[in-house]
C-alpha cells in the first residue's frame, strides 16, 4: 500500500483541473485531434487515440464534442497539425518540473513556457535534466461513496491487477504498470466502477518538500503552466502536505 503523501500532488492537480473545466475539454480535444491525424480514427488500432478517448470520457467530455473532433481531424485536408514537445526544468527550491505540450507554433510555446519558469522563480533546463526522475504509470481514480467498502474494493483492485492502491476520505487511487492499465481498467469497469481519472502519467521517483516561500511560488508556476492552452500535462516532484497547503491557500 502506498503512503498518502505521494497522492497529494495528484489530488491538487485534479482540483486545479476541475476549476478549469473548459480548458480541460480544449486540451483533450486537441489530443484527440492530434492522435487521429497521426494514426487514423480507429481506436482499436490507434493506441494514442484510445488513451485520449479514455481520458476524455473520464473527464466527462461530451460525446458530441469527441465525435466532432474526430470527424474534423479525419476529413479536413490541410488542417492544422500539432507537434508534441517536452520541456524540462527546475522550479523554486530546485523541484523537478516536466512539461508536455502540443502546439502548432513551437516558438510561441517555448517562449511562454520559459517565461512562466522565469517569472515564478524557476529555470528551463536541457532535455534530460529531470526526466530520469519520473516513471510512467497508469492511474485510476474513483470517487468514494458511502456504500463502498474499503477492504472489499482494495481486494477487487488487487485482483484486477492494481499495483498500488491507496485511499483518502474522498477517493480511491489505483496505480498500475502502463502495460496493465487497460486490463485493470476493464476489469474494474466490469464490476461497475466508473473513473474520475483514467490515464497514464509520470510519477516522480522521489518527492521533495519546499519551504513556504518556495512552495507558494511553485504552486503559481504550476498554475501558470497548466493555464497555457499549449500545455497538456505538468509533472513535478513537489510534495505539499495538507497543513502547508492550508497555510498557503
Amino acid at each position: 500500500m502506498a503512503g498518502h503523501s505521494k497522492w497529494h500532488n495528484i489530488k491538487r492537480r485534479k482540483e486545479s483541473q476541475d476549476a478549469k473545466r473548459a480548458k480541460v475539454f480544449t486540451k483533450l480535444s486537441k489530443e484527440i485531434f492530434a492522435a487521429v491525424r497521426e494514426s487514423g480514427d480507429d481506436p482499436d488500432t490507434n493506441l494514442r487515440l484510445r488513451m485520449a478517448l479514455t481520458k476524455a470520457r473520464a473527464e466527462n467530455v461530451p460525446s458530441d464534442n469527441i465525435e466532432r473532433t474526430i470527424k474534423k481531424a479525419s476529413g479536413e485536408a490541410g488542417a492544422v497539425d500539432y507537434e508534441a514537445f517536452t520541456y524540462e526544468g527546475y522550479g523554486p527550491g530546485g523541484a523537478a518540473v516536466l512539461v508536455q505540450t502540443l502546439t502548432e507554433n513551437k516558438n510561441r510555446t517555448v517562449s511562454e513556457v520559459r517565461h512562466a519558469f522565469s517569472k515564478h522563480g524557476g529555470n528551463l533546463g536541457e532535455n534530460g535534466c529531470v526526466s530520469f526522475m519520473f516513471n510512467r504509470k497508469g492511474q485510476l481514480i474513483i470517487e468514494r461513496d458511502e456504500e463502498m467498502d474499503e477492504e472489499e474494493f482494495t481486494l477487487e483492485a488487487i485482483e484486477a491487477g492494481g499495483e498500488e492502491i491507496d485511499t483518502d476520505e474522498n477517493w480511491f487511487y489505483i496505480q498500475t504498470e502502463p502495460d496493465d492499465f487497460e486490463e485493470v481498467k476493464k476489469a474494474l469497469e466490469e464490476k461497475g466502477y466508473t473513473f474520475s481519472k483514467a490515464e497514464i502519467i509520470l510519477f516522480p521517483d522521489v518527492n521533495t518538500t519546499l519551504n513556504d516561500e518556495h512552495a507558494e511560488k511553485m504552486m503559481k508556476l504550476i498554475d501558470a503552466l497548466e493555464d497555457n492552452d499549449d500545455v497538456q500535462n505538468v509533472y513535478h516532484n513537489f510534495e505539499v502536505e495538507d497543513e502547508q497547503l492550508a497555510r498557503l491557500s
Side-chain angles (χ1 to χ4, degrees):
M1 295 290 287
H4 285 143
S5 60
K6 72 185 295 182
W7 303 103
H8 282 294
N9 292 339
I10 299 166
K11 183 167 62 176
R12 183 177 183 280
R13 182 160 56 245
K14 181 186 185 306
E15 290 164 351
S16 174
Q17 288 180 339
D18 283 346
K20 303 171 184 175
R21 182 61 56 184
K23 281 190 174 291
V24 172
F25 283 10
T26 298
K27 293 182 181 189
L28 289 172
S29 294
K30 185 186 285 189
E31 174 60 26
I32 292 169
F33 187 98
V36 172
R37 298 289 288 180
E38 178 181 78
S39 301
D41 60 3
D42 184 356
D44 290 335
T45 58
N46 185 341
L47 177 60
R48 182 179 178 184
L49 176 59
R50 189 159 70 245
M51 294 301 302
L53 293 176
T54 293
K55 188 173 179 179
R57 288 166 182 151
E59 291 283 3
N60 296 314
V61 177
S63 296
D64 287 349
N65 292 33
I66 293 173
E67 291 174 8
R68 190 162 52 247
T69 300
I70 291 175
K71 287 180 180 178
K72 184 176 180 181
S74 301
E76 285 193 15
V80 63
D81 282 323
Y82 296 106
E83 293 185 276
F85 298 99
T86 298
Y87 302 100
E88 304 176 38
Y90 300 93
V97 184
L98 192 149
V99 185
Q100 294 178 338
T101 69
L102 200 56
T103 180
E104 80 285 5
N105 187 330
K106 179 183 179 181
N107 291 336
R108 179 194 67 219
T109 302
V110 69
S111 176
E112 292 176 351
V113 169
R114 181 180 289 110
H115 175 71
F117 272 90
S118 177
K119 181 178 179 180
H120 298 289
N123 60 281
L124 204 57
E126 298 293 329
N127 288 342
C129 67
V130 300
S131 56
F132 68 92
M133 302 181 189
F134 295 85
N135 287 306
R136 292 175 74 248
K137 296 287 184 179
Q139 172 189 269
L140 300 163
I141 301 180
I142 298 172
E143 187 169 10
R144 295 185 65 153
D145 62 44
E146 295 180 357
E147 298 179 359
M148 292 177 69
D149 179 83
E150 182 174 335
E151 184 175 348
E152 180 181 351
F153 173 79
T154 300
L155 289 174
E156 288 179 335
I158 292 172
E159 289 175 359
E163 183 180 57
E164 293 188 14
I165 297 91
D166 198 18
T167 183
D168 60 26
E169 61 184 7
N170 296 313
W171 310 97
F172 285 108
Y173 308 96
I174 306 100
Q175 184 183 106
T176 77
E177 288 296 326
D179 290 345
D180 298 333
F181 172 79
E182 293 195 62
E183 183 178 337
V184 175
K185 177 177 173 291
K186 181 179 179 181
L188 291 174
E189 283 177 332
E190 290 175 349
K191 292 182 178 294
Y193 294 107
T194 57
F195 306 102
S196 297
K197 283 279 186 186
E199 57 187 331
I200 292 178
I201 69 170
L202 296 177
F203 275 88
D205 289 329
V206 179
N207 285 318
T208 185
T209 57
L210 302 173
N211 62 36
D212 282 0
E213 179 183 358
H214 286 153
E216 185 172 19
K217 290 181 179 179
M218 182 66 180
M219 287 191 288
K220 289 180 179 178
L221 170 59
I222 295 167
D223 287 342
L225 290 168
E226 289 184 340
D227 215 30
N228 188 309
D229 287 341
D230 293 338
V231 172
Q232 294 296 100
N233 298 293
V234 180
Y235 300 112
H236 56 83
N237 68 346
F238 165 48
E239 179 179 4
V240 57
E241 297 292 345
D242 287 338
E243 294 174 0
Q244 185 179 44
L245 186 58
R247 285 197 306 273
L248 298 177
S249 298

